[in-house]
Amino acid sequence: MWRKAIATAAATRFGALHHPWRTIARPHSTTASPSAAVDSVILRSLKEHYLDVQKMNPPPKINPPSPFTVVQGSLDGNGPALKRIFGREEITISVMRMANIIPGDGGEDDDADDTNQLFLHLDVAKPGQKESLHFLCALYPDALGIHSVSLRKIADLSSSRDVLSTYNGPVFEDLDETMRDAFHNYLEERGVSESLFPFLRAWLYVKDHRNLLRWFKSVGTFINENKKVKDS
């Protein structure tokens, strides 16, 4: 999605701004070193892309379905996006695009599919328990599919490496229909369904926008500092 948006955005030039690349001029001297010229090209391109992305309009603000609430600071971190209390349980939901888990084949429909397939890590924790019930789910505009159900140590949930390396339980489709239906009902009772899709898709758009701007700026800062050392 982002690569298409950037490719089609107008490459409008702006004057000096308060960004780390504002002092970089176009290389014109034949005495400039090849390395300095490369740095200047990178910085100029980073600035142009930064400005293009900055002009993108965010989606309309959408509130999560009640009683879910947004985790404070989640747009700038790597933790859960949503949480809620259900009786004595605390439910947290982390989300990413399915394309980040299973890359597409580069077909024309990949960008459209990126926005319609989300991947959820959902945890149900209880007071005094060292483990939570962990669901891996696929979320679509009109459906929620469960991939696996497992028990996870709560201390390990912040580590994606632990999540990927830990046994996820049997393949969900290998369970009998009665058990599969029961787990779907378990999530529905807790408000976890396709009704979360519009908010989580908009939330990911805003998060990606922030991350992309932060990436252009931080890489520009690094390159610019490197150039200063070379020029000194």
Side-chain angles (χ1 to χ4, degrees):
M1 180 182 69
W2 285 110
R3 64 180 181 271
K4 177 177 286 187
I6 291 173
T8 58
T12 305
R13 304 295 194 268
F14 285 81
L17 297 175
H18 296 293
H19 297 305
W21 42 77
R22 64 185 183 277
T23 60
I24 303 301
R26 295 177 182 272
H28 56 80
S29 173
T30 57
T31 60
S33 69
S35 180
V38 169
D39 287 355
S40 294
V41 171
I42 293 174
L43 287 165
R44 185 167 64 252
S45 181
L46 287 168
K47 177 182 176 180
E48 292 169 358
H49 281 31
Y50 181 97
L51 295 173
D52 288 343
V53 174
Q54 202 173 40
K55 290 181 293 185
M56 294 178 185
N57 294 322
K61 185 176 181 180
I62 301 176
N63 293 321
S66 178
F68 282 95
T69 59
V70 180
V71 176
Q72 186 175 4
S74 58
L75 282 172
D76 297 312
N78 296 317
L82 293 176
K83 65 179 180 179
R84 69 158 295 185
I85 300 298
F86 181 81
R88 297 175 63 247
E89 299 171 353
E90 181 180 64
I91 300 168
T92 56
I93 297 176
S94 301
V95 60
M96 63 186 69
R97 285 190 177 79
M98 188 73 75
N100 293 342
I101 305 297
I102 307 174
D105 58 6
E108 293 180 359
D109 295 333
D110 279 356
D111 288 315
D113 291 341
D114 283 356
T115 65
N116 290 322
Q117 302 179 19
L118 305 181
F119 190 74
L120 305 185
H121 287 263
L122 186 148
D123 290 285
V124 181
K126 296 185 177 182
Q129 297 291 322
K130 295 182 179 180
E131 295 179 315
S132 69
L133 192 60
H134 184 78
F135 292 81
L136 296 180
C137 302
L139 181 64
Y140 305 91
D142 57 354
L144 173 76
I146 300 174
H147 174 70
S148 66
V149 184
S150 60
L151 285 172
R152 295 291 173 84
K153 291 182 179 179
I154 293 176
D156 292 343
L157 295 180
S158 60
S159 172
S160 58
R161 179 177 298 178
D162 289 331
V163 167
L164 292 173
S165 63
T166 304
Y167 176 62
N168 290 326
V171 176
F172 190 75
E173 291 302 316
D174 290 345
L175 301 175
D176 64 68
E177 185 176 358
T178 299
M179 185 176 294
R180 295 199 306 268
D181 289 344
F183 274 122
H184 277 287
N185 291 335
Y186 181 88
L187 293 184
E188 288 178 6
E189 282 188 343
R190 287 153 180 79
V192 181
S193 69
E194 62 270 19
S195 64
L196 294 172
F197 184 88
F199 170 80
L200 289 174
R201 178 169 61 179
W203 183 90
L204 270 176
Y205 184 99
V206 175
K207 185 178 179 68
D208 284 352
H209 187 269
R210 289 192 181 192
N211 284 339
L212 193 55
L213 286 174
R214 188 180 296 116
W215 183 86
F216 286 135
K217 191 170 184 177
S218 60
V219 172
T221 298
F222 181 89
I223 297 293
N224 197 41
E225 288 301 318
N226 186 47
K227 185 177 184 300
K228 288 179 180 178
V229 171
K230 294 176 183 177
D231 293 342
S232 62

